[in-house]
Amino acid sequence: MFSRFIIITLLLLTCHSVFAGTLEDYAAKRDEILLQPSENRLEALEDHPFDTTTILGKYFYLSSFLYIENDPEFYALTDSELETLRVDYPQYFYEREVLMVWLSDLPDEERFEQFRAIQSIARQNSWPRIEGWATSLLVTSLQAAELHFNAILEMNNYTHKAPHTDKDGMVYDYPLMGVFLDISISLYYLDDYKGSLEFCGKYKQYLPENISTQFYGLSCEISSLLALERYDEVQSKLKKMNQIAEQSGLTEYKVQLALSSAYFYRAIERPDLTYHYAKDALDIFQRDGKSLNPTVYNIYVLLTVSQIDLENIERAEFYLKKLQELPLTTQIEGPGTQVDSLVAQANIYELKGQYEKALPFYKKAFKALYLNEASSFRFSQLNSINSSLDTRELTLTKKQLQEKNQYLRILTLIAVTSVAVAIIAGALLWRESRRKREVEHYSRLDSLTRVYNRWFAIDTIKARINHMKRQDDKICVALINLDHFKHINDASGHKTGDTVLSHFARLCKYQCRGTDVFGRYGGETFVLMLSGATQNEAKQKLRSLRDIMSQQDLTKLGAEGTLTFSAGVVELSEKANISQVLSQCDKLLYAAKQNGRNQDIFAPFRPAEQDEIV
């Protein structure tokens, strides 16, 4: 009897050993497949060792495939299979749950709560890898929703648990190097470009011999350096990226290199080269790419904006349509994606001169940007940031990195991080208002002349007129048109004409006070409001502008002749309808043109306009 008990015990232990080995082998093989370059993963999966007749083998096969293809419909397990997975392999059941939440179409707040619920279960059961996996996708979801401060709070809570790794990649895990990369992303979008650059370097230094880490670390650094306008350093890093891309021959590196080059030329205002490199990225991706990913979205954004800058309306509309047709995923979804498309559409309408159609798109873009105001964070959490980062549990990191004489560097970087994050926390509200001001500034400018566009200028003038209160309050509104501008376009070409328009607009803008309004009304016509000015003061201002224009040497701009203009000016002393004001200005401008050009015609505002104005 006793000998039978021993035999049974040995058999059970043997079975357990076989099971443990299979589970470890499956996990190791999945890591091996998913750590391949993205374009090689499907091929590596074809020769898989997973026994798909078993629940465990089927799970590992499907989880490998889903990580590559992001196709939740393919990831079907029956209810009974799910129950078996939950009971027998609970860690892998919750691993699957994390990915299902990530790929779901749940509202943001609900998705965040589901991730946090899985985090809590993982902590209770001492499953650090599952907690890290849930945290990594929670952080990415927060970043996609542009909640970067909240993402930093999550990373701060997890940093002391993040494991060390000696391999590139974050396969169903969240190692310390992954935290470094995500911190750099959030710092970048919080406008702390120096902090972001430092964490890009920290990510790159983590595995100094790993080609993938070096390549994407360089790409990360380039983004921050572009924001800091350190263009010489960008060019140097692009050369290093090019060397790695050529040595590896990997498609994903070639695409990323072309994309980074396009961003560089976008930053230095070379839309022709922006288009060239973005088109290269698209061609390489379509020829050799294996799956749709966020890179395609970024390519189409660059193609669209480059064509807008080049004023190629047809091409801009073509690429914008392609951009809008892309299926949004959790990787690219968020307020920023809406703004890209909406502002591009508004800019295209502006190029067509359809200003009234542009206005609703700008308003929608503002609304999309303000969505993230609805989410909040507790300021009581701020106090934990410095102490938690400073008291980072460095045991594992110290043990692994002291051999490379990097412990002191890591410790210093973490201390610097504490200060950086504290500064960001203190300046968060200022940063949000600053960013909105920048976006508003961009969307209210005419894309060619960089003065106010029609809708913004008119709205501003309208608001000023509606706030006239005092009896002695005066405003002069003028429509100004360049004389013989068609001759400049015909004789010297439209590119020269655009240069002349921009030059004229810049000169006029610099002569305006802060309370005045100057914008492009359409074509070669501009609108000007002189706040608090009488007719006589407006005459002096226009005479001064005319003197400045007469001194301009158009040959330096590629044109000939003298720059002159005509204007129709209306003086207001009380509230009025903006449409009637502009209509009267237009008639006065027409009269000035008919009377020989290079002159101004003034009149007080008359609500019941006369049909004839001499």
Side-chain angles (χ1 to χ4, degrees):
M1 185 74 173
F2 181 72
S3 60
R4 183 180 296 177
F5 174 77
I6 293 175
I7 292 170
I8 292 172
T9 303
L10 288 173
L11 285 172
L12 287 173
L13 289 172
T14 303
C15 290
H16 178 74
S17 299
V18 171
F19 161 75
T22 302
L23 185 61
E24 290 170 3
D25 290 344
Y26 278 2
K29 185 60 181 178
R30 184 178 67 178
D31 286 353
E32 181 184 326
I33 292 169
L34 297 182
L35 288 172
Q36 295 278 331
S38 59
E39 59 210 75
N40 299 337
R41 290 172 190 162
L42 277 176
E43 184 178 348
L45 184 59
E46 289 177 4
D47 188 27
H48 70 84
F50 310 124
D51 181 1
T52 54
T53 63
T54 66
I55 299 299
L56 193 63
K58 186 175 182 180
Y59 170 76
F60 272 97
Y61 174 76
L62 292 176
S63 64
S64 301
F65 185 86
L66 184 58
Y67 199 98
I68 298 169
E69 288 293 336
N70 284 352
D71 183 1
E73 291 184 7
F74 184 84
Y75 199 56
L77 290 173
T78 65
D79 290 343
S80 61
E81 288 173 333
L82 281 174
E83 181 62 17
T84 301
L85 195 66
R86 187 185 68 80
V87 173
D88 294 346
Y89 316 109
Q91 286 197 52
Y92 292 100
F93 173 82
Y94 283 104
E95 179 184 272
R96 178 187 183 278
E97 287 294 291
V98 175
L99 205 52
M100 289 297 97
V101 173
W102 166 248
L103 295 171
S104 72
D105 57 359
L106 291 170
D108 284 343
E109 288 300 328
E110 193 171 337
R111 180 184 288 120
F112 303 155
E113 287 309 309
Q114 295 252 13
F115 283 136
R116 291 184 177 114
I118 297 172
Q119 281 178 321
S120 178
I121 292 170
R123 290 189 197 106
Q124 291 170 11
N125 288 278
S126 299
W127 298 336
R129 186 180 62 80
I130 303 301
E131 182 184 352
W133 174 230
T135 302
S136 70
L137 293 190
L138 172 57
V139 166
T140 306
S141 297
L142 289 166
Q143 290 174 331
E146 299 196 10
L147 303 175
H148 294 285
F149 188 84
N150 304 61
I152 285 178
L153 291 178
E154 290 292 338
M155 286 183 277
N156 170 63
N157 292 335
Y158 174 75
T159 301
H160 68 284
K161 303 177 184 179
H164 173 69
T165 182
D166 57 358
K167 296 179 181 179
D168 175 48
M170 290 155 272
V171 180
Y172 291 108
D173 205 348
Y174 199 26
L176 194 56
M177 65 182 296
V179 177
F180 290 165
L181 187 59
D182 281 339
I183 288 178
S184 76
I185 292 169
S186 285
L187 290 178
Y188 178 90
Y189 284 104
L190 288 169
D191 293 348
D192 181 3
Y193 305 125
K194 289 184 179 179
S196 175
L197 180 62
E198 187 150 13
F199 268 89
C200 292
K202 191 174 181 182
Y203 166 79
K204 197 171 70 169
Q205 292 166 10
Y206 197 93
L207 297 176
E209 304 302 321
N210 185 278
I211 293 176
S212 176
T213 304
Q214 295 309 298
F215 184 86
Y216 285 106
L218 287 166
S219 177
C220 177
E221 289 176 328
I222 284 172
S223 297
S224 298
L225 289 169
L226 286 175
L228 293 167
E229 300 182 359
R230 289 157 58 175
Y231 300 131
D232 289 343
E233 294 176 67
V234 171
Q235 289 182 296
S236 173
K237 293 186 183 295
L238 282 172
K239 290 178 181 177
K240 292 179 182 178
M241 284 183 70
N242 183 57
Q243 291 171 357
I244 296 174
E246 286 185 351
Q247 290 170 3
S248 70
L250 293 174
T251 297
E252 64 177 283
Y253 288 4
K254 294 175 184 177
V255 172
Q256 186 59 46
L257 173 63
L259 198 58
S260 295
S261 300
Y263 278 120
F264 168 67
Y265 286 110
R266 170 79 172 151
I268 63 173
E269 299 182 0
R270 285 296 305 274
D272 53 336
L273 292 175
T274 302
Y275 174 76
H276 171 78
Y277 282 99
K279 187 65 167 62
D280 275 357
L282 182 64
D283 291 343
I284 297 168
F285 188 87
Q286 290 178 333
R287 184 177 66 248
D288 301 322
K290 300 296 184 183
S291 63
L292 185 70
N293 63 37
T295 302
V296 181
Y297 176 86
N298 296 329
I299 291 172
Y300 277 119
V301 168
L302 284 167
L303 289 169
T304 304
V305 298
S306 66
Q307 293 306 303
I308 289 172
D309 290 341
L310 291 168
E311 298 191 36
N312 294 330
I313 296 175
E314 273 189 44
R315 280 176 175 264
E317 289 181 319
F318 172 79
Y319 288 120
L320 177 59
K321 184 179 179 183
K322 292 287 186 181
L323 176 66
Q324 293 168 338
E325 288 173 350
L326 289 178
L328 287 183
T329 68
T330 44
Q331 291 100 320
I332 59 176
E333 196 171 22
T337 59
Q338 298 177 53
V339 173
D340 289 330
S341 177
L342 292 167
V343 172
Q345 183 64 75
N347 286 340
I348 289 171
Y349 278 130
E350 275 200 73
L351 286 176
K352 293 180 174 181
Q354 298 173 350
Y355 304 103
E356 294 302 320
K357 289 186 177 180
L359 176 58
F361 286 92
Y362 282 129
K363 289 182 176 178
K364 287 179 184 177
F366 297 156
K367 184 177 180 182
L369 270 180
Y370 296 156
L371 284 177
N372 60 349
E373 283 188 340
S375 66
S376 60
F377 56 87
R378 296 189 300 275
F379 276 94
S380 60
Q381 292 176 289
L382 300 183
N383 293 329
S384 69
I385 293 177
N386 282 342
S387 58
S388 179
L389 280 173
D390 282 336
T391 59
R392 160 77 165 95
E393 191 177 303
L394 287 170
T395 307
L396 178 60
T397 306
K398 181 177 179 179
K399 179 180 177 182
Q400 297 289 343
L401 297 182
Q402 264 185 333
E403 297 173 1
K404 303 176 185 179
N405 296 318
Q406 290 184 351
Y407 173 60
L408 290 177
R409 182 185 300 176
I410 293 292
L411 189 61
T412 302
L413 286 172
I414 290 176
V416 170
T417 304
S418 304
V419 178
V421 175
I423 291 172
I424 293 166
L428 180 65
L429 297 180
W430 169 84
R431 197 278 312 173
E432 286 295 331
S433 63
R434 174 189 160 198
R435 180 181 179 192
K436 288 169 186 173
R437 286 198 304 272
E438 288 175 348
V439 173
E440 289 167 357
H441 176 74
Y442 168 74
S443 59
R444 68 193 182 192
L445 296 182
D446 174 66
S447 58
L448 172 64
T449 60
R450 312 312 292 169
V451 298
Y452 290 147
N453 57 35
R454 176 179 176 135
W455 75 265
F456 186 83
I458 292 174
D459 270 11
T460 307
I461 295 170
K462 179 180 177 182
R464 175 66 176 87
I465 293 173
N466 288 339
H467 284 85
M468 294 183 71
K469 294 178 181 179
R470 306 188 313 271
Q471 288 185 338
D472 59 344
D473 197 2
K474 299 286 186 183
I475 294 174
C476 282
V477 178
L479 285 181
I480 299 172
N481 183 272
L482 289 180
D483 295 329
H484 304 295
F485 184 72
K486 185 176 183 301
H487 174 73
I488 294 176
N489 271 338
D490 293 343
S492 307
H494 287 278
K495 187 173 182 180
T496 298
D498 289 347
T499 302
V500 171
L501 272 182
S502 298
H503 185 64
F504 174 80
R506 185 167 59 252
L507 291 173
C508 291
K509 177 183 176 181
Y510 291 155
Q511 302 305 311
C512 291
R513 302 164 299 172
T515 55
D516 297 335
V517 175
F518 181 74
R520 189 179 181 193
Y521 191 73
E524 67 269 26
T525 302
F526 296 82
V527 62
L528 171 67
M529 182 199 76
L530 299 171
S531 183
T534 62
Q535 274 195 42
N536 287 335
E537 290 168 331
K539 285 178 182 178
Q540 293 174 10
K541 172 62 74 175
L542 291 173
R543 187 181 301 119
S544 173
L545 285 176
R546 191 167 276 108
D547 290 343
I548 291 171
M549 299 306 162
S550 68
Q551 299 170 23
Q552 300 306 303
D553 182 5
L554 294 188
T555 58
K556 293 181 179 179
L557 305 178
E560 297 179 356
T562 306
L563 201 56
T564 65
F565 64 84
S566 304
V569 190
V570 169
E571 182 191 67
L572 295 96
S573 56
E574 58 184 354
K575 294 180 180 180
N577 182 288
I578 185 65
S579 298
Q580 291 181 349
V581 172
L582 293 172
S583 176
Q584 187 172 337
C585 287
D586 189 53
K587 290 183 178 181
L588 292 167
L589 173 60
Y590 179 78
K593 291 284 190 182
Q594 292 296 105
N595 288 350
R597 294 184 172 84
N598 195 23
Q599 60 183 278
D600 315 313
I601 294 184
F602 292 80
F605 175 65
R606 291 179 289 246
E609 295 180 83
Q610 298 177 0
D611 292 333
E612 294 182 5
I613 299 176
V614 179

